[in-house]
mmCIF file of all heavy atoms in Angstrom:
data_model
loop_
_atom_site.group_PDB
_atom_site.id
_atom_site.type_symbol
_atom_site.label_atom_id
_atom_site.label_comp_id
_atom_site.label_asym_id
_atom_site.label_seq_id
_atom_site.Cartn_x
_atom_site.Cartn_y
_atom_site.Cartn_z
ATOM 1 N N LEU A 22 -71.786 12.284 -53.246
ATOM 2 C CA LEU A 22 -70.366 12.344 -53.606
ATOM 3 C C LEU A 22 -69.922 13.788 -53.831
ATOM 4 O O LEU A 22 -68.833 14.191 -53.411
ATOM 5 C CB LEU A 22 -70.091 11.533 -54.872
ATOM 6 C CG LEU A 22 -70.202 10.002 -54.769
ATOM 7 C CD1 LEU A 22 -69.967 9.369 -56.129
ATOM 8 C CD2 LEU A 22 -69.198 9.450 -53.755
ATOM 9 N N THR A 23 -70.759 14.560 -54.497
ATOM 10 C CA THR A 23 -70.392 15.959 -54.794
ATOM 11 C C THR A 23 -70.633 16.888 -53.607
ATOM 12 O O THR A 23 -70.099 17.994 -53.577
ATOM 13 C CB THR A 23 -71.172 16.471 -56.015
ATOM 14 O OG1 THR A 23 -72.581 16.305 -55.787
ATOM 15 C CG2 THR A 23 -70.777 15.703 -57.261
ATOM 16 N N ASN A 24 -71.447 16.451 -52.632
ATOM 17 C CA ASN A 24 -71.656 17.272 -51.428
ATOM 18 C C ASN A 24 -70.386 17.403 -50.595
ATOM 19 O O ASN A 24 -70.228 18.367 -49.852
ATOM 20 C CB ASN A 24 -72.775 16.681 -50.560
ATOM 21 C CG ASN A 24 -74.149 17.046 -51.057
ATOM 22 O OD1 ASN A 24 -74.298 17.903 -51.916
ATOM 23 N ND2 ASN A 24 -75.167 16.358 -50.543
ATOM 24 N N CYS A 25 -69.503 16.394 -50.678
ATOM 25 C CA CYS A 25 -68.261 16.448 -49.900
ATOM 26 C C CYS A 25 -67.405 17.617 -50.383
ATOM 27 O O CYS A 25 -67.033 17.692 -51.557
ATOM 28 C CB CYS A 25 -67.499 15.131 -50.045
ATOM 29 S SG CYS A 25 -65.918 15.115 -49.175
ATOM 30 N N MET A 26 -67.077 18.534 -49.463
ATOM 31 C CA MET A 26 -66.312 19.742 -49.808
ATOM 32 C C MET A 26 -64.812 19.554 -49.631
ATOM 33 O O MET A 26 -64.035 20.487 -49.809
ATOM 34 C CB MET A 26 -66.776 20.908 -48.930
ATOM 35 C CG MET A 26 -68.255 21.207 -49.004
ATOM 36 S SD MET A 26 -68.742 22.612 -47.990
ATOM 37 C CE MET A 26 -68.338 22.020 -46.340
ATOM 38 N N ARG A 27 -64.389 18.337 -49.210
ATOM 39 C CA ARG A 27 -62.974 18.044 -48.962
ATOM 40 C C ARG A 27 -62.394 18.950 -47.889
ATOM 41 O O ARG A 27 -61.214 19.289 -47.896
ATOM 42 C CB ARG A 27 -62.142 18.173 -50.249
ATOM 43 C CG ARG A 27 -62.727 17.489 -51.486
ATOM 44 C CD ARG A 27 -62.767 15.992 -51.333
ATOM 45 N NE ARG A 27 -63.083 15.307 -52.573
ATOM 46 C CZ ARG A 27 -64.309 14.959 -52.951
ATOM 47 N NH1 ARG A 27 -65.338 15.214 -52.170
ATOM 48 N NH2 ARG A 27 -64.510 14.318 -54.085
ATOM 49 N N CYS A 28 -63.225 19.355 -46.920
ATOM 50 C CA CYS A 28 -62.783 20.305 -45.887
ATOM 51 C C CYS A 28 -61.854 19.650 -44.864
ATOM 52 O O CYS A 28 -61.030 20.315 -44.246
ATOM 53 C CB CYS A 28 -63.982 20.929 -45.188
ATOM 54 S SG CYS A 28 -64.975 19.741 -44.234
ATOM 55 N N GLY A 29 -62.046 18.354 -44.627
ATOM 56 C CA GLY A 29 -61.177 17.644 -43.697
ATOM 57 C C GLY A 29 -61.675 17.582 -42.269
ATOM 58 O O GLY A 29 -60.971 17.055 -41.403
ATOM 59 N N PHE A 30 -62.884 18.084 -42.003
ATOM 60 C CA PHE A 30 -63.409 18.005 -40.632
ATOM 61 C C PHE A 30 -63.605 16.549 -40.192
ATOM 62 O O PHE A 30 -63.607 16.257 -38.991
ATOM 63 C CB PHE A 30 -64.749 18.747 -40.532
ATOM 64 C CG PHE A 30 -64.612 20.226 -40.334
ATOM 65 C CD1 PHE A 30 -64.546 21.080 -41.431
ATOM 66 C CD2 PHE A 30 -64.537 20.771 -39.072
ATOM 67 C CE1 PHE A 30 -64.409 22.440 -41.265
ATOM 68 C CE2 PHE A 30 -64.399 22.140 -38.889
ATOM 69 C CZ PHE A 30 -64.334 22.982 -39.992
ATOM 70 N N CYS A 31 -63.748 15.649 -41.156
ATOM 71 C CA CYS A 31 -63.950 14.241 -40.825
ATOM 72 C C CYS A 31 -62.669 13.548 -40.377
ATOM 73 O O CYS A 31 -62.725 12.493 -39.736
ATOM 74 C CB CYS A 31 -64.528 13.501 -42.027
ATOM 75 S SG CYS A 31 -63.465 13.531 -43.499
ATOM 76 N N LEU A 32 -61.517 14.100 -40.715
ATOM 77 C CA LEU A 32 -60.257 13.399 -40.480
ATOM 78 C C LEU A 32 -60.019 13.068 -39.009
ATOM 79 O O LEU A 32 -59.696 11.920 -38.672
ATOM 80 C CB LEU A 32 -59.078 14.202 -41.048
ATOM 81 C CG LEU A 32 -59.126 14.511 -42.558
ATOM 82 C CD1 LEU A 32 -57.853 15.231 -42.990
ATOM 83 C CD2 LEU A 32 -59.312 13.249 -43.377
ATOM 84 N N PRO A 33 -60.159 14.037 -38.086
ATOM 85 C CA PRO A 33 -59.904 13.701 -36.677
ATOM 86 C C PRO A 33 -60.913 12.734 -36.087
ATOM 87 O O PRO A 33 -60.653 12.130 -35.042
ATOM 88 C CB PRO A 33 -59.988 15.060 -35.964
ATOM 89 C CG PRO A 33 -59.893 16.092 -37.035
ATOM 90 C CD PRO A 33 -60.471 15.462 -38.259
ATOM 91 N N ALA A 34 -62.076 12.585 -36.734
ATOM 92 C CA ALA A 34 -63.127 11.704 -36.218
ATOM 93 C C ALA A 34 -62.953 10.264 -36.689
ATOM 94 O O ALA A 34 -63.552 9.354 -36.122
ATOM 95 C CB ALA A 34 -64.509 12.213 -36.642
ATOM 96 N N CYS A 35 -62.136 10.051 -37.722
ATOM 97 C CA CYS A 35 -62.044 8.742 -38.351
ATOM 98 C C CYS A 35 -60.996 7.871 -37.674
ATOM 99 O O CYS A 35 -59.809 8.218 -37.661
ATOM 100 C CB CYS A 35 -61.695 8.907 -39.834
ATOM 101 S SG CYS A 35 -61.462 7.331 -40.693
ATOM 102 N N PRO A 36 -61.378 6.716 -37.133
ATOM 103 C CA PRO A 36 -60.416 5.847 -36.432
ATOM 104 C C PRO A 36 -59.280 5.348 -37.319
ATOM 105 O O PRO A 36 -58.125 5.309 -36.895
ATOM 106 C CB PRO A 36 -61.274 4.677 -35.941
ATOM 107 C CG PRO A 36 -62.671 5.199 -35.916
ATOM 108 C CD PRO A 36 -62.759 6.186 -37.035
ATOM 109 N N THR A 37 -59.593 4.958 -38.570
ATOM 110 C CA THR A 37 -58.532 4.422 -39.414
ATOM 111 C C THR A 37 -57.555 5.507 -39.848
ATOM 112 O O THR A 37 -56.354 5.260 -39.974
ATOM 113 C CB THR A 37 -59.110 3.705 -40.658
ATOM 114 O OG1 THR A 37 -60.021 4.577 -41.331
ATOM 115 C CG2 THR A 37 -59.844 2.438 -40.239
ATOM 116 N N PHE A 38 -58.052 6.716 -40.060
ATOM 117 C CA PHE A 38 -57.134 7.809 -40.401
ATOM 118 C C PHE A 38 -56.265 8.179 -39.208
ATOM 119 O O PHE A 38 -55.068 8.446 -39.350
ATOM 120 C CB PHE A 38 -57.904 9.052 -40.878
ATOM 121 C CG PHE A 38 -56.999 10.205 -41.216
ATOM 122 C CD1 PHE A 38 -56.326 10.249 -42.427
ATOM 123 C CD2 PHE A 38 -56.805 11.249 -40.307
ATOM 124 C CE1 PHE A 38 -55.474 11.304 -42.737
ATOM 125 C CE2 PHE A 38 -55.953 12.298 -40.611
ATOM 126 C CZ PHE A 38 -55.288 12.325 -41.826
ATOM 127 N N LYS A 39 -56.867 8.193 -38.009
ATOM 128 C CA LYS A 39 -56.086 8.511 -36.810
ATOM 129 C C LYS A 39 -54.959 7.510 -36.597
ATOM 130 O O LYS A 39 -53.887 7.852 -36.117
ATOM 131 C CB LYS A 39 -57.001 8.573 -35.579
ATOM 132 C CG LYS A 39 -57.870 9.809 -35.527
ATOM 133 C CD LYS A 39 -58.515 10.016 -34.171
ATOM 134 C CE LYS A 39 -59.552 8.984 -33.856
ATOM 135 N NZ LYS A 39 -60.259 9.274 -32.574
ATOM 136 N N GLU A 40 -55.209 6.253 -36.940
ATOM 137 C CA GLU A 40 -54.195 5.220 -36.748
ATOM 138 C C GLU A 40 -53.094 5.267 -37.801
ATOM 139 O O GLU A 40 -51.936 4.960 -37.513
ATOM 140 C CB GLU A 40 -54.843 3.827 -36.747
ATOM 141 C CG GLU A 40 -55.780 3.561 -35.582
ATOM 142 C CD GLU A 40 -55.083 3.617 -34.230
ATOM 143 O OE1 GLU A 40 -53.854 3.430 -34.173
ATOM 144 O OE2 GLU A 40 -55.779 3.863 -33.226
ATOM 145 N N THR A 41 -53.462 5.630 -39.032
ATOM 146 C CA THR A 41 -52.500 5.532 -40.133
ATOM 147 C C THR A 41 -52.002 6.877 -40.654
ATOM 148 O O THR A 41 -50.883 6.959 -41.166
ATOM 149 C CB THR A 41 -53.117 4.776 -41.314
ATOM 150 O OG1 THR A 41 -54.206 5.548 -41.859
ATOM 151 C CG2 THR A 41 -53.633 3.413 -40.885
ATOM 152 N N GLY A 42 -52.833 7.931 -40.576
ATOM 153 C CA GLY A 42 -52.469 9.214 -41.160
ATOM 154 C C GLY A 42 -52.490 9.207 -42.681
ATOM 155 O O GLY A 42 -52.035 10.157 -43.329
ATOM 156 N N VAL A 43 -53.053 8.144 -43.264
ATOM 157 C CA VAL A 43 -53.108 8.012 -44.727
ATOM 158 C C VAL A 43 -54.419 8.589 -45.235
ATOM 159 O O VAL A 43 -55.493 8.231 -44.748
ATOM 160 C CB VAL A 43 -52.972 6.528 -45.143
ATOM 161 C CG1 VAL A 43 -53.147 6.375 -46.648
ATOM 162 C CG2 VAL A 43 -51.637 5.969 -44.690
ATOM 163 N N GLU A 44 -54.340 9.482 -46.214
ATOM 164 C CA GLU A 44 -55.532 10.155 -46.727
ATOM 165 C C GLU A 44 -56.594 9.175 -47.220
ATOM 166 O O GLU A 44 -57.785 9.359 -46.968
ATOM 167 C CB GLU A 44 -55.132 11.085 -47.880
ATOM 168 C CG GLU A 44 -56.290 11.770 -48.600
ATOM 169 C CD GLU A 44 -57.001 12.825 -47.757
ATOM 170 O OE1 GLU A 44 -56.416 13.278 -46.754
ATOM 171 O OE2 GLU A 44 -58.132 13.203 -48.103
ATOM 172 N N ALA A 45 -56.158 8.113 -47.893
ATOM 173 C CA ALA A 45 -57.123 7.145 -48.422
ATOM 174 C C ALA A 45 -57.850 6.392 -47.320
ATOM 175 O O ALA A 45 -58.888 5.774 -47.567
ATOM 176 C CB ALA A 45 -56.404 6.147 -49.340
ATOM 177 N N GLU A 46 -57.323 6.439 -46.087
ATOM 178 C CA GLU A 46 -57.962 5.765 -44.946
ATOM 179 C C GLU A 46 -58.964 6.681 -44.243
ATOM 180 O O GLU A 46 -59.414 6.373 -43.148
ATOM 181 C CB GLU A 46 -56.897 5.320 -43.939
ATOM 182 C CG GLU A 46 -55.977 4.222 -44.442
ATOM 183 C CD GLU A 46 -56.558 2.827 -44.258
ATOM 184 O OE1 GLU A 46 -57.747 2.730 -43.910
ATOM 185 O OE2 GLU A 46 -55.828 1.861 -44.475
#
Side-chain angles (χ1 to χ4, degrees):
L22 290 177
T23 55
N24 279 349
C25 178
M26 304 181 297
R27 313 294 191 267
C28 65
F30 277 90
C31 61
L32 301 184
C35 177
T37 52
F38 179 80
K39 286 193 291 185
E40 294 298 337
T41 66
V43 175
E44 175 69 18
E46 293 275 10

